[in-house]
Amino acid sequence: MSRTIKLGAWPLLRHVVLLAGALVVLAPFIWMLSTASKPADEIYSSELHLIPHHFALWENLREAFAKADLWRYLLNGLIVTVSIFALQILIALPAAYALAKLRFLGRGPLFALVLFGILIPPQATAIPVFLLLHKLGALDSYAALVLPFTISVFGIFLMRQFFKTVPDDLIDAARMDGISEFGIVWRVMLPTAIPAVTAFGIFSVVAHWNDYFWPLIVLNSPQYYTPPLAVAHFRNAEAGTNYGPLMAAALVIIAPLVIAFLLAQRRFIEGITLTGLK
Amino acid sequence: MSDAVLTPSALALPRPAAVLRRRPLRLRGGAAYALVGPAVVLMLLMLIGPLCGVIALSFTDYQLGAPSFAWIGLANYQDMFADKTFWISLTNTLTYVVVVVPGSVVLGLGVALLIQSGTGLRAFYRTVYFLPVMATLIAMAIVWEFMLHPQFGLVNGLLRSVGLPAHGWLQERDTALLSLCVIGVWQALGFNMVLFLAGLVSIPKALYDAAEIDGAGGAWSQFRLVTWPLLGPVTVFVVVITGIRSFQVFDTVHVLTKGGPSKATEVLIHTMYMEGFEFFRSGYAAALTVVFLVCVLALTLVKARLTARQVHYA
Amino acid sequence: MARIELSAIRKSFDTTDVLRGVDLTIEDGEFVSLVGPSGCGKSTLLRIIAGLEQQGSGEVRIGGEPVDGVRPSQRNLAMVFQSYALYPHLSVFDNIAVPLRMKRLTTLERLPLLGRLLPNRYRVEREIRQEVEHVAAQLELSAFLGRKPGQLSGGQRQRVAVGRAIVRRPVAFLFDEPLSNLDAKLRVHMRAEIAQLHRRLQATFIYVTHDQAEAMTMSGRIAVMIGGELVQVGRPAEVYDNPRDIRVAEFVGSPKINLLPGQIRSDGAVETLGQRIGVATKGIAQPCRVGVRPERIQVGSGPFVGHVVHVENMGAEAFVHLGVEGLATPLLARIGDVRELPMLGSALRFGFAPDAVRLFDAAGKRIEAHAAPAAVRTLEVASV
């Protein structure tokens, strides 16, 4: 751009404004780290200081892990998000392939239904799905956490759009080589769709790792708690009296995704903004 | 098949070709149903069925665990419209949407424009502003709660240090909803920024050159002539998606205020949650859900309308 | 209308030098093409003239005035972009009107609603309407004024871009590969239209293209740029016939000039493919390259022999590819009469007149040479 012509104070001003904004955005993270590193007497003092006089992060973490089975909750988070994603792919990919590349009666209405399904917010179906799981006796289990999300209409839509861009010749060549339609999905389409699948995977894992509403509704037993539910439970149990370990627990809960994000920012931003297609 | 086809009547010619083409297609049709089958069944079971179910349920007095239920027509809706809590809840939700949408859209656009206006530290800023989108909202809500703590919180501490009065942000009626809005803006800003950045990058550089030649030299003229109109579709999209997400606000409310103090932060989904899953009045909660659904679909309709009007070439 | 002078223009991006000191004067009303392979710096040079890019060093003068630090819009130039750069959300009318509105209306008057209330805007808008309609009529765009660019064909978009350029009556027009997005047929048609436009407006045109045919057919002078330098500037015919550099010889003309390995003897005689070719030059013994354009190769007789490896019949003319011993790539010869094409695989004699030969030294610089009449005769006698 031609901005080079007028230089002057602009780059400096840009940095000043952006850094100020960044500080506000980062404030909760900084404060969380700071509080998690402070012993109780420093937290409950009216004097503000960022750097703890006595560094107590390890004590707070130890206390957090002692009071709540954080490993268990992290593991629950992993089990739930990975199962959801795996099942979503297993179900969405074949459907997306059929919608993109095969001609069959009812394809149009089915695709319209998928598009309509994208518009339905998850809270809207919560009551009937809850009742259904209640009837099945499946409440308060991993199944209750996973089952309702095995179908991702958004995933079907996304993969279908991606498969549309795969040349028909590739599929015809596979057919000439004697690969069945099922084989084509997994041996031809999946490998070409790895970037889209990755992006969708990030989207799906982040959404369900952070989900609070649904686990809150279907779970009773702490043994199935997902990370958000666990940290909320921790907070309620401590009733706002013990912020050091609470902040340490919050830190542990956000750490996996934040670290993964920092390691692969581009992919994460791509994945999360996939909803941009919605 | 070669010469045989070329025999006497030309009318016979299309037939063998058509037969040949149709057969594999029908085979593929069978495979297609097998491929879409699981998805269709689950979609009906987990999405379309429950959607119809929630509408049907809203016309019943069903309560979870009750042995039977009765069709009661619009009684749930009548109760709802007569209930003060519903109106407070709806007003609060709309207030939340009306604050968070412009707040996060304008700030998101501003940050995106600032980042894009220079080359230094682009990736750094993008990462920082996007961080709240990634971090588990529940965990961060608890951090916010402590930052807003009346006695030991960062916010009041800073206010006191410059001589301003402190507040019980989440405990006072006047500030509770506003505090939740601030958290909402904080969380949504980065997401909107990234969408705007993508929109800005896709504006052809040549248009800025043309604007420069045509006499739109200043930053404002270029924004008016090129940036803003070309961001139009992105903006519509960002506004609508932020609106839909704001309508769904629940996490921060449930963990920080439980709708209080005295219903000052009661929002639609929270009311629905309380009715449906705390008091188990499924029928009534379903009616609330239908209202929520109508609001969200109305926003989607607005978006469809606005995007249809914009005809741009690639 | 203005004369544009460039002196010692240099520009580098990061560590690569894009322009290494370009001097060029474009007279008022002249049509000059900047032509060269992609990456030669021609577009950068054009953008420096427009003010969209700043030169590292050197000076641009427009109408005698140095324009350093003058904003593009104040240079009063018009530019037609490769992608046309039409504002997609504005109608054809509004696209053409943009430069006039920017010049004649204040920021306040351009505001969407408030601006309407200001009295001056109404008067100015009426003038603008007349001028835009006039230009649109010239370009046969009157029927499309209400359309958006997305609803136009490539050629129509091109004309809108030209309309936006001429409506402001600039001192010079800059074209940045404006035809490269059009299909071949339309390109030939638009070539003629732009040439006519130049004749009608009598304005200064600077036209950047990588297509030597475009440059040859439209412009008064062409400036061949290679590797950030102006290698040769001159009338198209002169550049074609008298290239000063082997790169110019290769770039201009399609199909390409034939280049044969040669040797200059100490007596000034020149040899190629083991034979003397009747050309003499003063100078020292050194290897050289012998350039002969395909249409100057005489087929059927001559001192050399090649095998026909391929024949391209274009209908009106044909090109024969001759495999010659000692040459890595086949030699190309043009045959004017397509009814007399040689058989594939047959051996064919060929030769060329001494005045068809252009000699280049090992560094690619042109070596002056003249025919050595006596030598030619002996050669021909010897070979018969």
Side-chain angles (χ1 to χ4, degrees), chain A residues 2-278:
Chain A
S2 53
R3 294 275 157 71
T4 42
I5 287 180
K6 41 158 197 178
L7 276 164
W10 176 246
L12 190 68
L13 189 67
R14 168 178 175 268
H15 282 303
V16 168
V17 176
L18 282 174
L19 281 174
L23 196 65
V24 175
V25 167
L26 285 181
F29 296 97
I30 298 169
W31 197 239
M32 172 170 60
L33 260 173
S34 165
T35 310
S37 310
K38 287 176 185 170
D41 60 318
E42 286 187 46
I43 295 172
Y44 301 108
S45 81
S46 47
E47 168 232 2
L48 279 184
H49 59 283
L50 198 62
I51 314 288
H53 304 310
H54 172 76
F55 187 74
L57 178 60
W58 309 124
E59 285 91 326
N60 283 330
L61 277 172
R62 205 173 303 131
E63 201 180 332
F65 274 94
K67 284 194 171 165
D69 195 356
L70 289 181
W71 288 120
R72 169 85 201 210
Y73 302 139
L74 291 173
L75 183 67
N76 282 346
L78 190 70
I79 292 173
V80 169
T81 50
V82 169
S83 326
I84 289 177
F85 174 57
L87 287 168
Q88 279 177 336
I89 288 298
L90 199 66
I91 287 159
L93 227 54
Y97 166 68
L99 281 172
K101 292 294 182 190
L102 301 181
R103 266 191 290 160
F104 58 95
L105 198 67
R107 183 176 75 167
L110 184 59
F111 187 58
L113 206 60
V114 167
L115 288 179
F116 175 69
I118 293 175
L119 302 179
I120 303 172
Q123 294 90 343
T125 51
I127 298 170
V129 173
F130 177 84
L131 294 178
L132 180 70
L133 292 171
H134 176 68
K135 278 266 177 300
L136 296 173
L139 285 176
D140 201 19
S141 68
Y142 285 130
L145 291 173
V146 173
L147 210 58
F149 302 108
T150 49
I151 175 76
S152 168
V153 273
F154 177 60
I156 295 177
F157 169 75
L158 190 74
M159 289 303 148
R160 183 254 184 197
Q161 297 306 87
F162 186 85
F163 288 160
K164 273 269 169 198
T165 65
V166 174
D168 284 340
D169 291 354
L170 185 66
I171 296 157
D172 284 335
R175 283 181 189 138
M176 299 287 280
D177 292 343
I179 304 178
S180 73
E181 295 299 311
F182 291 91
I184 289 174
V185 174
W186 301 114
R187 287 163 61 190
V188 181
M189 299 308 264
L190 179 61
T192 63
I194 286 298
V197 170
T198 313
F200 175 67
I202 289 170
F203 165 76
S204 165
V205 166
V206 169
H208 293 109
W209 180 276
N210 290 341
D211 187 24
Y212 178 65
F213 183 73
W214 188 250
L216 179 69
I217 289 172
V218 295
L219 290 188
N220 263 327
S221 324
Q223 71 197 78
Y224 299 118
Y225 275 6
T226 57
L229 210 55
V231 73
H233 185 73
F234 194 115
R235 170 208 171 254
N236 292 339
E238 297 297 318
T241 54
N242 212 349
Y243 275 107
L246 180 58
M247 290 297 127
L251 194 63
V252 170
I253 297 304
I254 68 162
L257 284 190
V258 167
I259 291 170
F261 165 62
L262 293 177
L263 290 179
Q265 298 164 39
R266 250 175 207 292
R267 287 217 172 279
F268 267 76
I269 290 179
E270 249 168 51
I272 302 300
T273 48
L274 267 188
T275 43
L277 292 166
K278 265 195 183 178

Side-chain angles (χ1 to χ4, degrees), chain C residues 16 23 26 28 59 81 133 140 170 177 242 277 281 309 381:
Chain C
T16 45
D23 296 281
I26 297 143
D28 184 12
E59 196 181 48
F81 294 86
E133 279 170 357
E140 294 167 32
E177 310 230 8
N242 209 2
I277 51 171
T281 177
V309 293
V381 169

